[in-house]
Amino acid sequence: MQKILRIKTNTKAVLFEEVKTEYAMLGGRGLIAKILNDEVDPKCDPTGPENKLIVCGGLLNGTMLPCTGRLSVGGKSPLTGGIKEANAGGTAGQMLGKLDIKAIIFENKPADNKWSILKIDQDKAELLPADKYVGMGNYALSAELRKDFGDKIGIVSVGVAGERGYRNSTLQVNDMEGNPVRAAARGGLGSVLGSKGIKAIVLDVTGAANVEYADKEKFVAANKKFIAAVKAHPVTGGMFPNLGTAGLVNMINGLGALPTNNFSDGRWDKAENISGEKLAEMQSTRGGKNGHRCMPGCVVCCSNVIHDEKGNYVTSSLEFETIALAGSNIGIDSLDVIAKFDRLCDDFGIDTIETGGTLGVCMEAGKMQFGDGEAALKLLQEMIEGTDFGNILGQGAEVTGKYLGVKRIPTVKGQTLAGYDPRGLKGIGVTYATSPMGGDHTAGNPLGVPTVDPYKKEGQVELSTQMQVFMATCDSLGTCMMILNAPLGEPENLGYFLEIMSGKFDGEWDPDKLFGIGVQTIALEKAFNKGAGFTAKDDKLPSFMYTEVLPSTGTVIDFTEEDMAMAIPF
Amino acid sequence: MSQNNLITVTIRSHVPPSADVKDFQFGKPFQLGLEYNANLQALLQKLFPENIKDLGFIAVNGKLAARDRSLLEGDVIYIYSLVAGG
């Protein structure tokens, strides 16, 4: 029987609760939206006692469907001031499912200002003193926790950035090798968990039972067919296992939408140096790995392990978004420098996208030159050391840009845009502007649909709406978008997936019922944001993008407020 | 047709061609001879007769290209499938 685990951090009470009937068919992002609407004042201080931090798996977590171990975290975001859900791969999502925990709700603030870790196993959940772990980076923390609790544990942790309340801070989840490299990165939710005095959640599934199915035979049969389709698809069975998401660098550069020098261009003559093809070439001589799994049972394997030129481990996984924001966006064409940047961000516990955007506005302001990798790492070091300017950098690109007097700040609702300039891919412009998540590509990325011209606004609102519903559904199921996005384009594969849902939950499933999960989720999120004070006037892209032509495409943003108001009309 | 009427283009495809391409590897460049007046659509039909619907953005020499674009000697063509991730 699934349960909710509520942690009252002010009294250190750890309580198991029954799952309300109305929560039964909610999971991941959808469940977070519902709980926040039910329990949190949208006008609250994000790092104050009224906000709550929710950690949960999706509806399918713990099942045999591969790539269904995403861990969702959510709360009111210190970065955007609105609702935020961020999710990550790694080991913890599946473990939460196996422990039959539907959600963990952290509330209030510790009265004694003491730090704790939450340890959960099959028999109990308890808060343990965390004094010895406070001040540790995520790598040292992961090693220490594995030494103390065994090397098979799942870990969700905050780095020093989360302890300090930085608005760009993450929650890191360990991968199968124990490295804290899978980040629930966006929205600064690490600082919300930090505000509750929680340094880490430790999960031990020894002896835990497997999840239940309404019709296991039906589930297994459909699952087998769906996996075959995923493996046969050119994206999930070809490009991603071979090149990882870094394979998108040349594609987005070719499209003319690769953020370059703080979003001042969309095509970069050095893009090849940071491409997936270049990365694969480096891997072959250094002992790194493409085709790496971030969670048990993954069949896409888009993760990678990066080694330096001496063959030593540096980081995992180097993703397209990190390469774009910490590469072309700041003029750095060295994958080694970008890998060091990624390692430092994972260890300190900060979002690579937000940090890349922050360094971009610093370069725009003349704090350093575009392309100066050494200077970029030094600024990152200032954040880690907590200098006065480092503390400003830790508040993200918008705060830093305003502090430095920069006019061109690439943010929406306070959050840095990801690796696609919306003037060169207008559908994602609609998503950035209208998603309740703020500027976030994972909210719905309409990339590569040949029937809609990426440089024109026609058809983009509809396309973005479709993708936003799709992603809200994925995020509520706990399913990696990589496994679902391409194969579900085929009606036959969608049929297999509906059978999977029926095998797990019983009843007849059709596309309306499946994607109704996403519609319901977005409606709840919009309701929360309305309560927080957001209006249609906030659904807009950075002002410079409406007037400044993107040289690579010759386009500007030409959506009106009325256009944007037609997106996600739920 | 004489050799003078052929052009050679370089292709980097992230979609496996359904036509036979010797030693094809994802994203690895390979060369192909085409009639001098071939356009992009003709090339795609030649390489992907069974799976042309899987194709998304196509870039020629690093820039998004329309399917009716004429191809020239030395063009480098990137072929991508439908993607919605990253």
Side-chain angles (χ1 to χ4, degrees):
Chain A
M1 175 78 75
Q2 282 201 309
K3 56 255 175 197
I4 301 262
L5 182 55
R6 189 178 296 274
I7 313 299
K8 295 177 183 275
T9 61
N10 56 331
T11 59
K12 303 276 193 274
V14 176
L15 308 168
F16 281 105
E17 297 174 358
E18 283 186 17
V19 176
K20 291 179 188 172
T21 310
E22 59 185 321
Y23 289 178
M25 281 309 295
L26 294 171
R29 185 171 152 189
L31 180 61
I32 285 168
K34 178 69 175 152
I35 294 173
L36 288 174
N37 271 280
D38 288 352
E39 299 191 11
V40 173
D41 177 357
K43 293 196 185 304
C44 73
D45 171 3
T47 53
E50 289 182 313
N51 196 11
K52 300 191 182 186
L53 192 282
I54 299 154
V55 179
C56 61
L59 282 167
L60 290 172
N61 278 47
T63 68
M64 290 174 278
L65 179 68
C67 310
T68 306
R70 302 291 295 185
L71 184 81
S72 286
V73 300
K76 180 174 177 178
S77 164
L79 192 69
T80 69
I83 194 167
K84 192 76 194 82
E85 182 266 1
N87 60 70
T91 56
Q94 287 177 343
M95 288 186 174
L96 214 53
K98 286 182 177 170
L99 288 164
D100 238 3
I101 293 175
K102 193 164 180 77
I104 308 170
I105 303 172
F106 294 94
E107 56 186 42
N108 225 301
K109 291 185 88 155
D112 57 3
N113 290 322
K114 296 271 188 192
W115 288 82
S116 303
I117 61 168
L118 174 65
K119 166 85 185 348
I120 309 171
D121 60 31
Q122 192 195 357
D123 302 318
K124 62 178 183 301
E126 58 187 335
L127 286 175
L128 302 172
D131 302 343
K132 67 182 275 199
Y133 307 114
V134 174
M136 282 184 177
N138 283 306
Y139 271 89
L141 174 66
S142 176
E144 197 66 14
L145 288 171
R146 281 153 57 85
K147 197 166 77 182
D148 292 347
F149 297 102
D151 59 9
K152 291 188 176 147
I153 56 172
I155 303 168
V156 184
S157 61
V158 298
V160 176
E163 292 179 26
R164 286 194 198 142
Y166 280 6
R167 288 190 210 175
N168 61 359
S169 60
T170 61
L171 287 87
Q172 299 289 134
V173 180
N174 65 329
D175 66 6
M176 292 195 292
E177 290 77 24
N179 293 316
V181 293
R182 312 305 309 190
R186 310 240 58 201
L189 293 171
S191 65
V192 182
L193 189 61
S195 73
K196 310 295 181 199
I198 303 295
K199 179 68 176 167
I201 304 165
V202 174
L203 303 166
D204 183 345
V205 293
T206 309
N210 288 320
V211 300
E212 293 171 358
Y213 300 86
D215 184 342
K216 192 170 179 182
E217 209 171 301
K218 189 186 214 178
F219 187 100
V220 170
N223 191 36
K224 196 180 282 185
K225 290 175 187 162
F226 191 73
I227 292 169
V230 170
K231 286 181 174 172
H233 193 277
V235 176
T236 48
M239 179 173 156
F240 283 156
N242 283 287
L243 301 179
T245 59
L248 293 170
V249 171
N250 276 334
M251 177 178 177
I252 305 305
N253 193 52
L255 182 64
L258 187 70
T260 302
N261 294 347
N262 192 34
F263 288 81
S264 62
D265 205 343
R267 189 167 288 124
W268 196 35
D269 58 3
K270 295 179 181 170
E272 183 70 30
N273 297 344
I274 57 169
S275 66
E277 288 83 353
K278 177 71 178 176
L279 183 63
E281 192 183 305
M282 280 170 50
Q283 297 285 55
S284 66
T285 58
R286 296 178 171 194
K289 186 180 181 186
N290 280 5
H292 174 252
R293 288 185 174 88
C294 86
M295 66 174 73
C298 174
V299 294
V300 177
C301 310
C302 68
S303 174
N304 54 39
V305 179
I306 307 295
H307 287 188
D308 63 18
E309 48 196 354
K310 292 179 181 165
N312 299 314
Y313 170 88
V314 179
T315 192
S316 172
S317 167
L318 205 50
E319 305 286 356
F320 165 70
E321 308 301 338
T322 304
I323 294 172
L325 270 296
S328 54
N329 185 55
I330 54 176
I332 290 174
D333 71 339
S334 162
L335 284 168
D336 283 318
V337 172
I338 300 168
K340 277 183 201 160
F341 170 96
D342 186 62
R343 166 64 180 255
L344 288 169
C345 287
D346 284 348
D347 193 42
F348 187 52
I350 52 177
D351 177 12
T352 59
I353 297 176
E354 194 61 44
T355 305
T358 303
L359 296 187
V361 297
C362 287
M363 290 179 173
E364 174 105 8
K367 289 287 286 183
M368 56 184 172
Q369 296 297 308
F370 283 105
D372 188 341
E374 203 176 314
L377 294 176
K378 269 187 190 163
L379 272 191
L380 197 48
Q381 200 59 41
E382 281 212 40
M383 224 185 306
I384 293 167
E385 287 167 9
T387 66
D388 289 345
F389 187 57
N391 287 332
I392 290 166
L393 297 172
Q395 306 313 309
E398 186 153 306
V399 169
T400 302
K402 285 179 179 168
Y403 174 81
L404 294 172
V406 172
K407 302 279 186 232
R408 300 173 69 263
I409 305 176
T411 55
V412 168
K413 298 187 179 83
Q415 184 166 251
T416 294
L417 307 185
Y420 316 85
D421 191 307
R423 290 166 291 181
L425 186 61
K426 289 193 172 172
I428 203 161
V430 179
T431 299
Y432 285 151
T434 62
S435 166
M437 299 287 118
D440 186 341
H441 71 292
T442 65
N445 188 358
L447 174 59
V449 176
T451 51
V452 180
D453 187 330
Y455 303 152
K456 293 183 177 161
K457 73 174 186 176
E458 286 74 23
Q460 304 293 357
V461 166
E462 296 79 8
L463 189 57
S464 168
T465 298
Q466 190 184 330
M467 288 307 304
Q468 290 196 56
V469 169
F470 171 79
M471 281 310 305
T473 305
C474 278
D475 295 342
S476 300
L477 296 175
T479 307
C480 177
M481 65 177 166
M482 301 304 180
I483 193 177
L484 285 188
N485 70 38
L488 280 194
E490 298 290 328
E492 194 179 29
N493 300 336
L494 178 58
Y496 300 147
F497 196 79
L498 295 172
E499 286 286 290
I500 285 172
M501 294 300 287
S502 178
K504 168 68 178 143
F505 299 108
D506 209 1
E508 291 297 314
W509 282 76
D510 59 25
D512 286 345
K513 186 173 176 182
L514 177 66
F515 295 112
I517 293 171
V519 170
Q520 179 188 28
T521 299
I522 291 171
L524 285 165
E525 291 171 343
K526 286 177 73 171
F528 186 91
N529 277 3
K530 191 176 175 189
F534 285 93
T535 69
K537 292 199 179 304
D538 297 301
D539 291 345
K540 62 185 182 199
L541 290 157
S543 55
F544 73 88
M545 293 185 173
Y546 290 84
T547 54
E548 188 180 302
V549 173
L550 186 66
S552 53
T553 59
T555 50
V556 293
I557 293 299
D558 48 1
F559 295 107
T560 63
E561 194 178 311
E562 290 73 29
D563 292 331
M564 293 297 194
M566 290 168 70
I568 50 171
F570 315 122
Chain B
M1 185 177 294
S2 76
Q3 287 294 314
N4 292 337
N5 288 329
L6 289 177
I7 58 168
T8 302
V9 298
T10 300
I11 296 162
R12 292 172 71 156
S13 178
H14 295 279
V15 182
S18 51
D20 185 34
V21 175
K22 196 177 173 214
D23 300 328
F24 170 79
Q25 287 183 53
F26 282 91
K28 289 276 181 193
F30 64 93
Q31 293 194 321
L32 194 69
L34 294 171
E35 290 180 22
Y36 79 96
N37 58 351
N39 67 13
L40 186 56
Q41 183 66 14
L43 166 73
L44 299 178
Q45 278 170 343
K46 181 175 177 161
L47 285 176
F48 304 95
E50 307 295 327
N51 57 342
I52 200 160
K53 67 177 175 44
D54 290 340
L55 306 183
F57 291 138
I58 315 289
V60 176
N61 302 329
K63 294 185 180 178
L64 183 69
R67 299 282 171 105
D68 61 358
R69 185 192 193 282
S70 293
L71 296 175
L72 301 171
E73 175 70 25
D75 278 348
V76 180
I77 300 150
Y78 285 78
I79 297 169
Y80 297 98
S81 57
L82 305 174
V83 181

